[in-house]
Amino acid sequence: MARPLRWTVTVAATIGVFLLCLWLGRSVSFGWLPHDDSDRWALAAAFAAVGAGVVGAAVGWWAGQSEPAPAVRRDHRVTQRATASGRARALQVGGSQTTPDAPAPQAGDETSVVRHEADASGHAEVRQIGRDQHLPGT
C-alpha cells in the first residue's frame, strides 16, 4: 500500500475512533459518572482523546514504515571513464561495493552492460570490476 494511502487510513481511523469513543462516553450512563451535562461532555472528550491517541499511534507507526526495497532491475547499464598517471590509483566498480546478496550476472544476459575505459601512465594502477565487489565484512 502506498504511503499517502496509509496516512489517509491513519487519519480516517483516528477520527472514526474519536467519534465512536465520544458517542460511547455520552451514551453510557453509570451511577458514578457526573450528572452535570458539561462534566459529562468533558469526560467523554477525554475518553475519546485517549482512545483516538492509542489508535492513532498504532496505525501511525504502521503508516510511517518505509516502502519495501524495489526489485533489482535486470537492465543494469554502467559507463565509466578513468585517467590515472604517476602513482595514482583508479577503481571502477560497475555495481555495488557493499551488497553481498546482489544477483550475479547470468550468462548471456544482454541487459547487463558495463563499459569501462581507462588510461594509465607511469606507475598508475587502474582496477576495473564489472559487477559487484564484495568487500570483506560486508
Side-chain angles (χ1 to χ4, degrees):
M1 185 179 291
R3 181 173 270 182
L5 184 57
R6 289 188 294 188
W7 281 110
T8 303
V9 168
T10 299
V11 169
T14 303
I15 291 171
V17 168
F18 180 82
L19 293 175
L20 178 67
C21 289
L22 188 65
W23 176 78
L24 282 174
R26 284 292 298 144
S27 301
V28 175
S29 69
F30 292 109
W32 50 270
L33 289 174
H35 296 290
D36 187 32
D37 198 40
S38 64
D39 291 340
R40 287 183 63 95
W41 272 110
L43 185 64
F47 172 66
V50 169
V54 168
V55 169
V59 181
W61 172 83
W62 164 73
Q65 297 297 308
S66 62
E67 297 287 328
V72 176
R73 293 178 48 160
R74 296 305 305 173
D75 61 341
H76 182 246
R77 299 178 190 277
V78 176
T79 301
Q80 296 175 332
R81 175 149 177 71
T83 302
S85 62
R87 295 190 177 273
R89 291 183 178 175
L91 171 64
Q92 294 178 319
V93 179
S96 170
Q97 289 190 350
T98 59
T99 310
D101 57 349
Q106 301 296 320
D109 187 5
E110 286 87 23
T111 60
S112 236
V113 178
V114 178
R115 184 173 160 224
H116 293 293
E117 295 179 23
D119 293 325
S121 63
H123 294 292
E125 175 185 338
V126 176
R127 290 182 55 205
Q128 296 176 321
I129 300 168
R131 280 294 266 181
D132 299 325
Q133 178 184 22
H134 304 299
L135 302 174
T138 60

